[in-house]
Amino acid sequence: MPEYKLVSKNFDYPDQPELQAAVSRGAYEQWKRVLSEQIPPDKITEEVKTAKLRGQGGAGFPAGVKWGFVPKASRKPKYLCVNADEGEPGTFKDRKLLERDPHQMLEGIAIACYAVDIHTAFIYMRGEFYEPQRIVQQAIDDAVAAGLLGKNILDSGFDLNVIIHMGAGAYICGEETALLNSLEGWKGWPRLKPPFPAVVGAFRSPTVINNVETLSGVPHILRMGGEAFQKIGTEKDGGTKLFAVSGHVEKPGVYELTMGSSLKELIYDVCGGIKGGKKLKAVIPGGSSAPVLKPEEIDVPLEFESMAAAGTMLGSGAVIVMDETVSIPQIFMIMARFYAHESCGQCTQCREGCTWIYKISQKILAGQGKPSDIDLMLDLADNMNGKTVCPLGAAMAMPTIAFLNKFRGEFEGMMKN
Amino acid sequence: MRSFSESTRQQALAYLELYPKKEAALLPVLHLAQKEFGFIDDDAEVAVAELMGISPISVREVSNFYFMYHHHPIGKYHFQVCHNISCSIMGAETILGHLKKRWGIGNGERTADGRFSIERVECLACCDRGPALLVNQTLHTDLTPEKIDEIIETLR
Amino acid sequence: MLELTINDRVVQVPDGLNVLQAAKHVGVEIPHFCYHPGLSVAGSCRMCQVEIEQGGRKRIDLSCSNAAVDGMIVRTNTPAVVKAVKGVLEFLLMNHPIDCPICDDAGECKLQNYYMLHGLYDSRLNVEKWHKPKVHPVGPTVVLDCERCVLCSRCVRFCDEIWGERQLGIFGHGSNEKLINYPGRELDNPYSGNVVDLCPVGALLDKDFRFQRRVWYLKSVKSICPLCSRGCNIYLHYDVDHDYQRPGRRIQRIKPRVNPDVNRWWICDRGRYGYSFIDAATRTKTPRLLGKDADWNYALQKAAELITTTQKQHGPGSISALIAPTASNEDAFMALRLFRERLNIPQISSDIPSSEKLTADQLLLTDDPYSNRRGFQDLGLGPADGGMNAEEIINAVKAGQIKGLIVVGTDLESLVGKQVESITGKLDWLIVGASQENQLWNRATVGLPLAVYAEYPGTFTNVKGMVQKFEKAVEPLGQALPQWQVWHKLAGHLGADWRFDDARAVFKALSAGKPDYESLNWHATFGVDKGCYPDNW
Ligand SMILES: Cc1cc2nc3c(=O)[nH]c(=O)nc-3n(C[C@H](O)[C@H](O)[C@H](O)COP(=O)(O)O)c2cc1C
Ligand code: SF4
Ligand code: SF4
Ligand code: FES
């Protein structure tokens, strides 16, 4: 199965973050074309819809459809928020996009803003991204100096101000409405939906929120045409997807595959198989919120719908591979610790439930677990699942249920006596 | 009572202009305050509140919500070790154990000379090169105890 | 109106309600913590989940954040809903100290009530609870127990949205979150007591009420706050049967009573905590004659004689009356009927400067400490009605033009300071009606002990002209009587034959020809409620 390099095409050129170099490889060509040909904004949105570009931040919502939700008549300013919070454990693809090809994303931002008539874009970047911040800020400054961003871009009369907003260490701020609150200078407490951000978003104005990778794909859609882009992938999931593979594989890293490639091939062919020839024990296929798969379950197409049908999710495309040496109860504790640490504390079930399950997981590791603890945790997870303001409650509940059901024996094994 | 240096003040005021609503500058201003004061205590919160013209409660809610704001002095070199899944299976606990042995301090603690401090952090988004840590703003990856020792040697 | 189905019952509800309100409207209580109709929707406690069916699709969702829509089918009792709600309750109890026996909120606590509803008697808790600050003095009037807090954010939203100043915050992250004030800055807004009503549990409690009574011993009547001209609707909570704390104190606390047109859900702290005068040791309890206790008949007989004699000797204008507009409409009506109509006293004024200066705020408090200035005005006892104002009357006293003076509901300090002799020295007699002993009481020729608003029914007319009724909670102290009854009796001693059996009869007489008054349904608001206050959302 071949890798298909679209957004990662220029990752290996060390000078790609520099404007000159990027331009020499085609950066901003589509942006210039949009402006010079005065392509109607609606046509761009339509093209993105045709391309079946799905949100790459985890939820997989079709990007063009989302853009279409923004009320055209609104007299309020509109905003784009670029989700560069990349916090889902196991995910490191956006870091690569930011560090290795910032202009590709900036071009995507510019085209998206043009399509939705937006003149201010905020890049919400997680606070720990010091290096990405420096690189992207430099790229913005260079692009502004070259007249590709900023005021009256290429004499078109179109203005676009791109601002980096640094987070301060809170996973929940990757959730889009928490991100908005954080951008507005508040705690990252997710908001109730509706209203959806496309209608009431940042500063109570219509707002598009897209992941770094989603936006990085946009110039390619304009270059190839929506239909060709879609054809690379599957019927519902156009184009490619970056997979961040970590853990026990020979060659961990970021790989770009066409939508619909097989998870098994990704692990065994692209990443060179399990490290040291050991036996595979478990795979978390879409970030730590995605229910774990057992070795016999990994022959699934990497595509939003197929993964959902397999009882898990494509999520952010973060694949964590675990070999036979790994203790599942230990991994489970780490996962629970993460959500207990990161629950924003707003909803009762998530606030208390994550901590409760985490504490039980510690007890089990300390050899103090009781068999009834497993059913208790399953029931607590059920009481959290899908019943909270944002999906974090479910992001804890779903993997909890999967770990406990699929590896019940291993948990029970720690409860002897 | 803490007060900002003039240059920090100017930069903070510039942040307020960046957003449609001045309150939005709170996170960046707190980052500045932490850079200036080393950590965010009550006095720093009040200073930020006064500079921004918002209530100290609003500042504290934010400064206590985000994990990157510290409320006690940290070391000159702050070791932020990822202990999430990928780094753990690649040996994060070994790294944490090594640091603990070397300095005799644990999570959230600082060496007596104030040079080093350790914090367990969640995923740093470089899982393919775990175990990973940030020393202040610099990312170090593919860590082993030996590599840690080398890094510490360079921190004088 | 729109039609929806709630638990298989087709019901009609007004437009503009959410599902939770719609259900309540038809008597179905949906458990909730964070929702309050006076605050923005937080949707965070997740307690109010119900099944909502729309267009054939069922989902479990919040009843507080979903608008009731025509044709919607709502179920609050399916097994999945019950499990979800029970689940929330269990999570809330996880870190809760369950110190109900020593909690003042017991009996009014939502957590406790819902627990009874859902009977989670077998605790599944198998881990340690958090510990957080207890008995934290969060402000001058309110005490906070962080362990009891369920983090519903109602109190935070009250300060932010209703008072308009951030005084409480939820700090931290996840399950170690803590609701508290900022160090060194208190919950000291003049409406702080409302957070106690809002708090669904015993986390925020009135210092004033702390450990005073178990709430189930309280009885409640509907009343009107007498401390400014807004006329906020309140409940008086009283208990005369359990004297183990604060002996002699009958009124135990005041709670706001919802009136969308006046005070909505709120009252100010001045009104809430300013009730101790009702049971104060300084209350007047016995009629007085020349500094000695007397019985009513004798005292009134004397008063009648004084009035008659002076009027005979010096004419009607030699007597004057000053009546503070803190009295009820019935009191004012009877005073006017006696003094103006029967005795032809020309100079009667209610225009007495208040010794207390109030500053109006953005919420409820007005700048007028008199509860019934508007009612006095409506009845013909306004500042412009008497000819002389109070100051001019006092000057006339000092000039020797007035021989007999009747003073009610004021100690005249705002007019004469402490120099009471400057007027008593000029008068042949002074009749004082008062509920509290004041600087005039012991110098009065005749002292008439008056009941206070909590001790008899009546009406006040608020600053916007709304006529509002208050009920009787407790008996008048000692021999005190409602003011109107005193004038009624005095009229008898002066030869009148008036037959007003009760306050209602007086109200009927005074409201004749006044549409704003006639429209009040006297019986509609009558009655004594038991225990906890029903507006506890
Ligand atoms: C708990 C949580 C964390 C999330 N973190 C991220 C993140 O770090 N980066 C991201 O792009 N999307 C994240 N998302 C998804 C966003 O809410 C949102 O769907 C996405 O930014 C939309 O952009 P897209 O449609 O381009 O994917 C997260 C969602 C949840 C519920
Ligand atoms: S589900 Fe958890 S993280 Fe999401 S809003 Fe609720 S408490 Fe916050
Ligand atoms: S103190 Fe009471 S009102 Fe305030 S958040 Fe806690 S439970 Fe809610
Ligand atoms: S979530 Fe509806 S009442 Fe709290």
Side-chain angles (χ1 to χ4, degrees), chain A residues 212-278:
Chain A
V212 171
E213 185 186 347
T214 315
L215 290 162
S216 298
V218 169
H220 300 282
I221 294 174
L222 289 221
R223 181 169 52 79
M224 307 165 65
E227 207 176 312
F229 184 92
Q230 180 265 315
K231 290 242 159 68
I232 299 172
T234 63
E235 193 194 327
K236 287 186 174 158
D237 298 11
T240 60
K241 167 110 200 71
L242 292 180
F243 292 95
V245 188
S246 64
H248 294 133
V249 288
E250 285 292 348
K251 293 185 289 175
V254 173
Y255 298 96
E256 186 168 13
L257 308 182
T258 59
M259 282 284 194
S261 305
S262 138
L263 173 59
K264 191 169 184 176
E265 287 176 62
L266 170 63
I267 295 170
Y268 284 96
D269 300 347
V270 180
C271 295
I274 310 305
K275 201 171 179 175
K278 291 219 169 65

Side-chain angles (χ1 to χ4, degrees), chain C residues 144 149-155 170 179 195 198-201 203-204:
Chain C
L144 166 67
C149 168
V150 296
L151 297 163
C152 71
S153 82
R154 280 180 169 195
C155 55
I170 294 179
L179 170 116
V195 301
L198 287 169
C199 184
V201 292
L204 291 165

Side-chain angles (χ1 to χ4, degrees), chain A residues 32-86:
Chain A
K32 289 179 198 159
R33 188 168 72 83
V34 164
L35 292 178
S36 63
E37 293 177 15
Q38 299 186 4
I39 301 178
D42 286 352
K43 188 150 180 291
I44 297 176
T45 303
E46 278 314 308
E47 212 56 42
V48 173
K49 281 185 191 163
T50 312
K52 298 281 159 62
L53 173 66
R54 303 279 295 251
Q56 311 281 28
F61 197 84
V65 177
K66 191 187 280 186
W67 298 1
F69 285 156
V70 175
K72 291 211 176 54
S74 171
R75 278 203 263 105
K76 290 187 172 170
K78 302 173 196 128
Y79 299 103
L80 174 72
C81 288
V82 184
N83 195 335
D85 196 54
E86 191 156 62

Side-chain angles (χ1 to χ4, degrees), chain C residues 205-222:
Chain C
L205 294 171
D206 276 320
K207 285 185 183 166
D208 179 70
F209 185 66
R210 198 155 176 260
F211 300 141
Q212 293 308 318
R213 281 295 185 286
R214 308 290 16 209
V215 296
W216 48 86
Y217 291 147
L218 297 175
K219 294 194 180 73
S220 167
V221 294
K222 300 181 176 79

Side-chain angles (χ1 to χ4, degrees), chain A residues 172 190 343-347 350-351 388-390 392-393:
Chain A
I172 191 58
S343 165
C344 84
Q346 186 175 201
C347 311
C350 174
R351 178 180 69 232
T388 49
V389 170
C390 90
L392 191 140

Side-chain angles (χ1 to χ4, degrees), chain C residues 417-431:
Chain C
K418 301 270 180 220
Q419 272 72 56
V420 186
E421 290 74 19
S422 68
I423 51 166
T424 49
K426 301 280 184 181
L427 289 168
D428 290 351
W429 51 263
L430 171 69
I431 296 177

Side-chain angles (χ1 to χ4, degrees), chain B residues 42 45 57-58 61 65 67, chain C residues 166-167 169-170 173 182 185:
Chain B
D42 294 4
E45 281 167 0
I57 290 218
S58 306
E61 278 194 331
F65 183 84
F67 294 109
Chain C
R166 308 213 65 192
Q167 294 200 320
I170 294 179
H173 205 128
Y182 195 84
R185 303 188 185 210

